[in-house]
């Protein structure tokens, strides 16, 4: 198949999703097997044991690599599993620069696990000057970027900042979870590695936990695969199959998420009980122009500050009906959460508040339901506070 010539909405359906050669089954089989029979010791068809490789996972990796325009993809059992592999692939004692606004679990693994192995520094990656200064003085091995950030939706200039990382011989990683491969392609902007929590938009149906990384660097890919094989966080064949299935509608879903999110953001921006709306697709977003330049869309995540205190935030979150009060994001159903108490609770309060994660801050993952229903739901809950 001429993979390179395909456009995104075709790739999600046809790359890795090709019919089964043996039976013609239009849907790829789930190779629900732990091991593979060998003809003679060491003589096999490329598969030995499912922790190492599995044909269903291979198909998913093929599709993901093509979506990020990468040579290599590696799938693991969670986004944090992938983060662990990348961080373990660095020599002991490496200096790591990480954005100061990242998913709470990313912050936690850096400050409670990898702080014993590496030297971790948090910086404001949205400021290229601060990045260059840190690269110059700290000489890091790795620059970790999340853009847009979780939950403040801050935007880092990937092209500019990854070029700086190259200049100072640091590898750059972009956590692309919020945009998905549909709206943003960090490798084409200069990043060395792109990773996702597949739990979110890539799978899109809130029924799989998974992670993936894509790169054009064979050495990095092989190092991370070897670590995965040695440490064990491989994804099950069934979960890989579900993501392969979820990916088929990624282009459709992302368009729908974005359409709804823009309407919801505009509605909230005009609501008297809302103090501030943060959405990269609003002209009021400080990095609207940068977002427009490096992303082909603005996604489905919105962060708001309510007029009021923790009590009011809790009341609002208890009153929504269609928006489910739950951690996670990127599924077809709308979710809503309180980062300070939920997803970012492992960040110390002072650090959290410095970033802007306050008690009146609420994060929405806008789903693909009918948008009038979503707006009604938010309007009704806002009336109560
Ligand atoms: O949950 P897991 O698949 O291990 O992925 C971790 C992760 C990594 N990067 C980003 C940007 C993320 O948002 C996450 C997980 N985030 C949530 C569970 C959340 O509700 O924000």
């Amino acid at each position: 198949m001429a993979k390179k010539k395909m456009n995104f909405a075709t790739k999600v359906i046809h790359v890795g999703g090709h019919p089964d050669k043996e039976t013609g089954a239009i849907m790829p089989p789930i190779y629900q097997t732990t091991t593979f029979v060998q003809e003679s010791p060491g003589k096999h068809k490329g598969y030995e044991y499912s922790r190492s490789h599995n044909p269903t996972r291979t198909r998913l990796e093929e599709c993901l690599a093509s979506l990020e325009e990468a040579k290599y993809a590696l799938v693991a059992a969670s986004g944090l599993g992938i983060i662990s592999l990348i961080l373990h692939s660095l020599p002991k004692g490496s200096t790591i620069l990480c954005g100061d606004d990242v998913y709470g679990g990313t912050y936690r693994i850096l400050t409670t696990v990898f702080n014993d192995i590496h030297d971790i520094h948090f910086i404001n990656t949205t400021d290229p000057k601060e990045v260059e200064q840190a690269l110059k003085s700290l000489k890091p091995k790795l620059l970790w970027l999340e853009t847009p950030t979780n939950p403040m939706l801050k935007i880092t200039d990937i092209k500019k900042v990854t070029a700086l990382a190259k200049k100072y011989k640091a590898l750059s990683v972009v956590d692309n979870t919020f945009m998905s491969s549909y709206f943003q392609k960090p490798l084409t902007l200069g990043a060395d590695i792109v990773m996702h929590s597949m739990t979110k938009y890539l799978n899109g149906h809130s029924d799989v936990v998974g992670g993936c990384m894509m790169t054009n660097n064979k050495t990095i890919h092989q190092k991370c695969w070897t670590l995965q094989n040695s440490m064990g966080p491989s994804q099950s064949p069934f979960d890989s199959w579900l993501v392969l299935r979820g990916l088929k509608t990624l282009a459709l879903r992302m368009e729908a998420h974005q359409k709804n999110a823009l309407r919801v953001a505009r509605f909230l921006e005009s609501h008297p009980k809302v103090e501030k709306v943060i959405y990269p697709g609003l002209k009021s977003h400080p990095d609207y122009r940068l977002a427009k330049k490096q992303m082909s869309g603005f996604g489905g995540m919105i962060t708001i500050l309510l007029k009021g205190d923790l009590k009011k935030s809790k009341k609002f979150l208890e009153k929504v009906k269609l928006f489910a009060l739950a951690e996670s994001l990127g599924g077809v159903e709308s979710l809503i959460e309180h980062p300070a108490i939920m997803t970012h609770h492992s960040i110390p309060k002072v650090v959290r508040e410095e970033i802007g994660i306050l008690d009146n801050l609420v994060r929405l993952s806008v789903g693909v339901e009918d948008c009038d229903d979503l707006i009604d739901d938010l309007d009704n809950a806002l009336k109560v506070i």
Side-chain angles (χ1 to χ4, degrees), residues 1 139 172 192 261 306 330:
M1 224 182 277
K139 301 187 175 49
S172 54
D192 295 301
L306 292 168

Side-chain angles (χ1 to χ4, degrees), residues 78-80 83 103 106 146 150 175 177-178 197 199-200 209-210 327-329 343 363:
S78 70
L80 278 168
I83 295 174
Y103 166 56
T106 306
E146 201 181 281
N150 180 359
D175 182 334
T177 300
F178 270 32
S197 165
T199 316
K200 320 300 184 211
V209 173
E327 299 200 7
S328 203
L329 58 110
T343 50
R363 191 190 76 184

Side-chain angles (χ1 to χ4, degrees), residues 79-371:
L80 278 168
I82 282 290
I83 295 174
S84 306
L85 297 177
I86 297 170
L87 296 175
H88 270 304
S89 73
L90 302 170
K92 199 175 169 202
S94 294
T95 297
I96 294 167
L97 295 183
C98 178
D100 56 9
D101 177 29
V102 286
Y103 166 56
T106 306
Y107 181 90
R108 183 179 51 212
I109 201 172
L110 283 166
T111 54
T112 65
V113 180
F114 284 97
N115 59 327
D116 280 343
I117 303 171
H118 299 312
D119 183 24
I120 319 283
H121 297 260
F122 292 94
I123 59 161
N124 176 12
T125 57
T126 67
D127 178 1
K129 277 197 196 115
E130 187 173 333
V131 176
E132 179 151 28
Q133 208 157 29
L135 285 163
K136 210 187 236 173
S137 61
L138 297 167
K139 301 187 175 49
K141 283 266 187 314
L142 188 82
L143 173 66
W144 191 280
L145 308 171
E146 201 181 281
T147 182
T149 57
N150 180 359
M152 300 309 292
L153 300 168
K154 292 197 293 186
I155 315 278
T156 289
D157 189 327
I158 300 176
K159 208 172 190 173
K160 209 176 255 176
V161 164
T162 56
L164 287 172
K166 259 191 194 76
K167 181 174 162 193
Y168 292 94
K169 300 193 169 26
L171 288 172
S172 54
V173 183
V174 175
D175 182 334
N176 200 21
T177 300
F178 270 32
M179 279 301 106
S180 88
S181 320
Y182 183 66
F183 282 140
Q184 182 167 269
K185 293 186 183 54
L187 298 182
T188 67
L189 298 170
D192 295 301
I193 304 169
V194 54
M195 63 84 40
H196 295 256
S197 165
M198 295 197 300
T199 316
K200 320 300 184 211
Y201 290 109
L202 294 186
N203 177 55
H205 293 75
S206 305
D207 50 12
V208 174
V209 173
C212 62
M213 60 177 278
M214 279 64 78
T215 181
N216 288 312
N217 184 319
K218 194 174 181 178
T219 311
I220 295 173
H221 173 74
Q222 280 183 337
K223 250 190 206 169
C224 290
W225 176 81
T226 303
L227 282 164
Q228 158 135 296
N229 194 34
S230 309
M231 293 163 61
S234 315
Q235 189 174 50
S236 76
F238 184 52
D239 280 357
S240 290
W241 185 85
L242 281 172
V243 181
L244 201 51
R245 184 184 199 258
L247 276 175
K248 286 178 191 277
T249 55
L250 181 64
L252 296 171
R253 284 186 284 107
M254 292 315 291
E255 289 293 344
H257 281 294
Q258 140 154 293
K259 197 168 161 218
N260 278 357
L262 190 58
R263 261 195 74 197
V264 168
R266 284 184 178 144
F267 160 75
L268 290 169
E269 205 172 35
S270 66
H271 201 285
K273 294 200 177 154
V274 178
E275 187 182 299
K276 191 177 174 188
V277 179
I278 309 168
Y279 179 65
L282 289 178
K283 292 210 170 93
S284 58
H285 190 289
D287 284 318
Y288 170 74
R289 286 160 70 100
L290 171 60
K292 213 171 160 183
K293 192 177 79 178
Q294 75 179 10
M295 293 143 45
S296 58
F298 304 107
M301 299 301 295
I302 301 173
T303 296
I304 60 171
L305 284 146
L306 292 168
K307 280 185 187 155
D309 53 8
L310 180 61
K311 213 167 135 202
K312 279 204 175 161
S313 303
K314 280 189 177 170
K315 198 158 191 188
F316 170 63
L317 291 166
E318 285 160 10
K319 288 293 167 195
V320 282
K321 289 198 172 78
L322 266 180
F323 276 84
L325 176 58
E327 299 200 7
S328 203
L329 58 110
V332 288
E333 65 290 294
S334 294
L335 301 181
I336 196 161
E337 65 112 12
H338 191 268
I341 297 176
M342 298 165 72
T343 50
H344 291 69
H345 191 66
S346 54
I347 303 177
K349 193 172 159 62
V350 275
V351 180
R352 230 170 36 218
E353 290 186 346
E354 241 169 68
I355 302 164
I357 306 174
L358 306 172
D359 283 346
N360 61 336
L361 187 112
V362 168
R363 191 190 76 184
L364 293 85
S365 169
V366 180
V368 301
E369 299 95 335
D370 183 284
C371 200

Side-chain angles (χ1 to χ4, degrees), residues 59-77:
R59 278 177 173 256
L60 173 58
E61 288 167 346
E62 229 181 289
C63 185
L64 293 166
S66 118
L67 299 185
E68 290 283 358
E69 298 176 27
K71 283 192 189 140
Y72 311 100
L74 181 66
V75 160

